[in-house]
Amino acid sequence: MSQEHVRQDRVSPALPPVAPAVTAELVAALTPRLRKRLDAGIAKLAGRPAVRDGDIVRIAVDDSTDVELHAPGGTVTSADAVRCGCLLAPDCLHRAAAASAAPIAEPATEAATEAATAAHCEDVAAGAPALPDTERPERATPEQCAAARALHSAATAVLEAGTDGSGAVLQAELLRAAHTARLAGLPRAAATAVSVVTALRAARSADPAYRLADLVGALRDALSAAHRIPHAEGPELTELRGTVRQPYRPDGSLRLYGLFSEPVLTASGYAGAVTWTADAEGRLYQVSDVAPGGGGRAVGAADRAVRVGDTALTHRELSRAGLAVSGATVSPAGRLGAGAGVRAVRASGADWRAEPLDRLWTVPAAEQVARALTGGAGLLFLEVTLVGTLRDAAGDCLFADCAGIRLRLTAAHDHPALPHRDNLRLLAAARGSRLRIVARLTPAPHPRALLLATEHPTVPGTRVDAGLDRLQHADLPTAPAAPAPPAAAPTPQEAPVHLLRRRVQQAASGGRLVLSFSGNTAADVQRLSGHGLATAGDLLDELHAAAAERSRDVFGRLLPADTDRFAGAWLAAARYAEEVDRALCAAAWGA
């Protein structure tokens, strides 16, 4: 990737988040000539200083010209709030460039959601009847079908161009599709479009946290939603629509025990921390603090006060202590609300090896994985013996033995401000140590998870949050606590689904042209068929054919490629690879 691409889409943490509709409107207003210069304009602004003055952020374009972003409440919500002092304003390039360089605003913050649902929760708690849900049509409305088509068109254009070709103009089209979907009552589809733009910006800015799998997943979800919405009915349509807000329901009084905290740092410019807790029955609850910011906020959020009731606990303290909550409100995902009726006080915590937290580690790993693969929180509570470092295609990882399962533990985040990877390297030197850990499942053909928290290797009863606490060499045992398990025996040859997955990833990264060059796929198809993956072979053939085939008109001139056919072939291959990965993951864990 060229240096121009690295610079032109870098999101500045100093800029306020900008609503997707604002960016789309400003880019659409540009003339064709200015659109061609938009990426260069973003690159120029990326190197200019930005100064915050209350709700206004000023970017010095040159010695005599400033661009101002007015963000009352922290977010730019209208095109008029982006102003420029140059002679060509308001039709200048600078306004669109500033909006395109800023983080993407989320549709509604958690605080706004909680405030909007607090009164409803109190009414339900008092026995008042809930308002009836609005009647949903059995099929998508014409507006929703049109929004789905717009999303499909924008996502297909990104897939055609790849990350290098998906500059600010194509990103703005996706943001416009997201805005249209939200107005049509399709918040889930809108969120997938924004996720694609977020992944594209991370890829083009060389963000260390960027993963190609994130872009593939976002594109897959966007195209899948756009494809199914016009044909879906009943429960399927309801699921595809999604909800704008997480409904918070009253949950009475809770006695919670801190488990661990993890930092949050997104490519869209949001950062903070989430603390996980559990009640006496093992149900998980979260307390979060996420707002616009960068790596500094992600690191510092652990020492910020928890926003539940009147408690003065920080996230770091809560992860080791407990919480007694009355009038609790909880979202379906287990997130605790912070409404006016919630009361919370500090309580004693519990050790991971003592009740009631001990029961989390007594559930067999296979059962935990099955739960994670069917929509759970994705957390695994495992007891492992550290073996050492293992190098695979994704880089170095911590190799561990979990009741005979050879587990690869990787860093949850690669940002240099967070100690994930440094802690992994140090733990690899504590070979033979037997520790309880908390990890997040990563679907793969072999057991793999992201390390989130672990017991201290030398201090019993002490926990280490892998993304917030930094281990030192003095924390390691002077000698292995026990002989490390023997090296893993050679495993049977894995099903080569990677042959299909690799083509899916290449198309998302390099665009259709990467797969359009002539080549023989017969060997890959034969290998897939030999492992019982004949469908994967057919999908691989169709993917290459859709990428390479070009029709000619009556004069023999090449016609434009059939991008819809290519998008359909890519989506089928991506969905198939996803499902096979889930099946292989379950088999690897014995789930």
Side-chain angles (χ1 to χ4, degrees):
M1 186 178 295
S2 68
Q3 285 295 327
E4 181 183 359
H5 284 166
V6 169
R7 293 184 58 208
Q8 68 186 19
D9 292 309
R10 187 174 298 280
V11 175
S12 173
L15 301 182
V18 176
V22 174
T23 305
E25 179 182 346
L26 292 175
V27 173
L30 295 177
T31 64
R33 180 180 63 86
L34 289 180
R35 287 191 184 191
K36 295 178 181 179
R37 298 170 50 193
L38 180 56
D39 289 329
I42 297 172
K44 180 180 179 181
L45 283 187
R48 305 301 298 171
V51 178
R52 181 178 295 272
D53 181 12
D55 291 334
I56 302 175
V57 175
R58 292 185 179 87
I59 309 172
V61 178
D62 53 39
D63 294 340
S64 59
T65 304
D66 290 343
V67 176
E68 293 184 349
L69 289 84
H70 294 248
T75 303
V76 178
T77 57
S78 69
D80 293 338
V82 183
R83 305 168 188 173
C84 182
C86 74
L87 296 176
L88 298 179
D91 300 323
C92 63
L93 179 70
H94 303 136
R95 299 172 68 222
S100 300
I104 303 171
E106 294 184 352
T109 63
E110 195 63 35
T113 301
E114 292 165 7
T117 57
H120 170 71
C121 291
E122 291 171 0
D123 288 343
V124 174
L131 295 175
D133 292 333
T134 57
E135 185 178 350
R136 299 182 184 275
E138 289 296 323
R139 296 184 65 88
T141 65
E143 293 78 11
Q144 291 172 339
C145 291
R149 289 192 295 270
L151 175 58
H152 188 275
S153 176
T156 297
V158 168
L159 184 62
E160 167 79 11
T163 55
D164 281 356
S166 297
V169 174
L170 288 184
Q171 293 172 25
E173 290 301 318
L174 263 174
L175 295 178
R176 177 179 294 278
H179 179 61
T180 303
R182 187 165 297 281
L183 292 179
L186 300 173
R188 182 177 176 182
T192 63
V194 173
S195 296
V196 174
V197 176
T198 299
L200 286 172
R201 290 185 176 183
R204 293 170 62 87
S205 65
D207 189 327
Y210 166 72
R211 290 181 172 86
L212 180 55
D214 294 340
L215 174 60
V216 171
L219 262 176
R220 181 189 62 231
D221 292 345
L223 285 170
S224 182
H227 173 72
R228 286 301 308 157
I229 284 171
H231 312 287
E233 296 181 349
E236 182 188 7
L237 180 59
T238 301
E239 181 181 358
L240 288 171
R241 282 174 177 155
T243 57
V244 177
R245 292 172 175 169
Q246 284 270 356
Y248 280 72
R249 303 296 183 185
D251 205 8
S253 298
L254 297 174
R255 175 65 170 90
L256 304 177
Y257 301 86
L259 280 167
F260 72 98
S261 293
E262 62 173 322
V264 175
L265 183 59
T266 70
S268 58
Y270 288 81
V274 174
T275 296
W276 290 81
T277 64
D279 64 8
E281 283 72 41
R283 292 177 298 183
L284 301 178
Y285 298 85
Q286 312 158 46
V287 179
S288 65
D289 174 22
V290 179
R297 192 181 195 282
V299 174
D303 296 313
R304 298 169 69 95
V306 171
R307 292 173 53 248
V308 178
D310 300 325
T311 180
L313 282 173
T314 66
H315 285 273
R316 194 184 303 274
E317 291 170 337
L318 177 58
S319 67
R320 274 79 171 174
L323 205 62
V325 186
S326 63
T329 58
V330 184
S331 76
R335 183 168 297 172
L336 289 175
V342 180
R343 297 289 182 268
V345 296
R346 179 172 185 162
S348 59
D351 188 80
W352 281 2
R353 295 185 179 271
E355 289 295 336
L357 298 184
D358 177 70
R359 68 179 59 193
L360 295 171
W361 278 266
T362 62
V363 179
E367 184 177 333
Q368 296 187 53
V369 169
R371 183 174 58 203
L373 289 174
T374 53
L379 297 185
L380 304 178
F381 301 89
L382 308 173
E383 190 156 354
V384 302
T385 301
L386 304 183
V387 177
T389 302
L390 177 71
R391 177 166 295 179
D392 62 10
D396 290 345
C397 57
L398 178 60
F399 201 33
D401 180 88
C402 177
I405 297 175
R406 294 315 179 100
L407 173 62
R408 306 179 192 197
L409 295 170
T410 59
H413 209 291
D414 287 327
H415 196 282
L418 303 175
H420 285 289
R421 193 159 293 282
D422 292 338
N423 286 337
L424 277 180
R425 293 193 188 99
L426 283 175
L427 287 172
R431 296 180 180 87
S433 297
R434 187 167 182 81
L435 305 171
R436 283 189 171 182
I437 66 169
V438 182
R440 180 171 287 114
L441 178 68
T442 301
H446 48 263
R448 177 183 287 270
L450 306 175
L451 181 64
L452 302 176
T454 177
E455 290 180 320
H456 196 284
T458 56
V459 183
T462 303
R463 312 165 194 172
V464 176
D465 294 332
L468 297 172
D469 302 322
R470 193 174 292 275
L471 287 170
Q472 306 294 332
H473 285 282
D475 296 318
L476 302 180
T478 56
T491 57
Q493 187 179 13
E494 294 177 349
V497 69
H498 67 274
L499 297 176
L500 179 64
R501 188 191 311 110
R502 184 172 58 199
R503 300 299 191 277
V504 169
Q505 293 178 342
Q506 285 176 341
S509 177
R512 179 187 58 82
L513 289 178
V514 171
L515 302 185
S516 66
F517 300 112
S518 59
N520 187 7
T521 62
D524 289 345
V525 172
Q526 183 177 3
R527 186 178 174 190
L528 288 167
S529 299
H531 284 78
L533 299 174
T535 302
D538 293 341
L539 291 172
L540 182 61
D541 258 345
E542 170 62 14
L543 184 60
H544 276 275
E549 184 173 343
R550 297 281 299 275
S551 301
R552 295 181 181 272
D553 62 13
V554 293
F555 300 104
R557 296 172 297 192
L558 280 174
L559 295 174
D562 188 349
T563 55
D564 286 342
R565 178 191 173 188
F566 177 67
W570 183 89
L571 177 59
R575 290 295 300 269
Y576 179 89
E578 178 193 23
E579 292 302 320
V580 171
D581 278 345
R582 290 168 62 87
L584 292 176
C585 176
W589 287 88

